[in-house]
Amino acid sequence: GGDSSAPPPPASTTGLVPAAPALGAVLYSDAAALRPAANGATWTYAGTKTACSTCAPTSYTTTTTQSAVSTSAGTTTATETDSNSTDSGPESTTLTIVSGGTVSQVPTTPVDYTGKGLPGYLRLTELRSPVQVGDQIVTLDQRYTDTAIDYDRDGKTDTLDVAIYSRVIGQESVTLPGRGAVTAVRLDLWLVERVINSSNGAATTFQSTATAWYAPGLGPIKQIVVNPNDSATDNETIVEQLTATSGF
């Protein structure tokens, strides 16, 4: 896959990932129960985007469609295409579901954290078996010292720390339009980026969070994403919830 195109390994980890909590109850023995896959399956979500704390929300819809679904030796792969993910236009990922193992995604658009023109394809592990309260998954924990970033504008490049990690919070009841209350597994994800100035060593940290709920036999049913807005002076909040499914 595209993982081999990742940038050269950085110097060290970041120290941004907290210690994992003690593990709690096992909610599902197999994470695959929370991520159904079928050719032509669709999930339609109603979304709202609020650009700042005092802004009025705008509404949109997005549909996730699965295609090229195949299964071999207990591993299912699929292409998932979102028509308007987080109201940001179309997006496509490769989904891999390993029975009794992990559920992971690789976006078809690479990420260039360093700004050096060396984008990489990041594999995000959504869930793993058993699905257990307190389970913490670290997708990325890297310090990049060779960057093209000059945040403090001193003519010298700065250091960038990036951490992406998630944690199973537990089971919660989510009320969906037309379905009522649905019991779902809540997963919280953090993306933390820290720029360290070359001029004085001062650090500036940016954090995004995503809370997602997964229901057995339905898959992702709701998510709330909070990102710094364009000016980094406030947050934008995105909420998507499932309104319709077909094909599975």
Side-chain angles (χ1 to χ4, degrees), residues 27-247:
L27 305 178
Y28 291 90
S29 60
D30 190 349
L34 300 170
R35 248 348 204 118
N39 263 316
T42 65
W43 291 256
T44 299
Y45 301 89
T48 60
K49 176 181 279 189
T50 307
C52 67
S53 56
T54 58
C55 297
T58 59
S59 299
Y60 67 95
T61 59
T62 183
T63 298
T64 301
T65 303
Q66 289 183 342
S67 61
V69 178
S70 65
T71 302
S72 176
T75 297
T76 298
T77 60
T79 298
E80 282 197 335
T81 303
D82 295 330
S83 63
N84 188 25
S85 176
T86 64
D87 201 27
S88 301
E91 181 180 272
S92 183
T93 63
T94 298
L95 176 69
T96 301
I97 305 168
V98 180
S99 180
T102 60
V103 176
S104 61
Q105 287 195 41
V106 177
T108 57
T109 303
V111 179
D112 182 9
Y113 284 115
T114 66
K116 297 277 289 186
L118 296 170
Y121 293 86
L122 185 68
R123 180 176 294 277
L124 174 68
T125 299
E126 284 187 62
L127 299 161
R128 64 183 171 193
S129 306
V131 180
Q132 191 168 7
V133 174
D135 188 22
Q136 181 166 288
I137 300 172
V138 179
T139 291
L140 185 65
D141 182 20
Q142 294 185 350
R143 167 164 288 186
Y144 298 96
T145 56
D146 184 16
T147 77
I149 300 167
D150 185 13
Y151 188 75
D152 55 359
R153 301 185 182 277
D154 67 345
K156 300 177 182 179
T157 58
D158 301 324
T159 295
L160 175 68
D161 290 336
V162 183
I164 302 173
Y165 61 97
S166 60
R167 188 180 296 171
V168 177
I169 303 302
Q171 290 195 119
E172 297 182 353
S173 180
V174 178
T175 300
L176 295 176
R179 292 182 185 269
V182 176
T183 300
V185 174
R186 174 179 163 180
L187 183 81
D188 286 2
L189 180 143
W190 292 264
L191 164 60
V192 186
E193 297 176 288
R194 179 173 61 198
V195 179
I196 302 173
N197 294 345
S198 58
S199 59
N200 57 11
T204 304
T205 302
F206 306 93
Q207 177 174 284
S208 297
T209 62
T211 299
W213 288 265
Y214 297 80
L218 280 177
I221 61 171
K222 183 177 180 179
Q223 71 166 345
I224 300 174
V225 179
V226 180
N227 295 315
N229 65 6
D230 291 340
S231 63
T233 58
D234 203 345
N235 289 326
E236 70 168 14
T237 301
I238 298 161
V239 180
E240 293 180 352
Q241 59 181 357
L242 186 69
T243 57
T245 62
S246 67

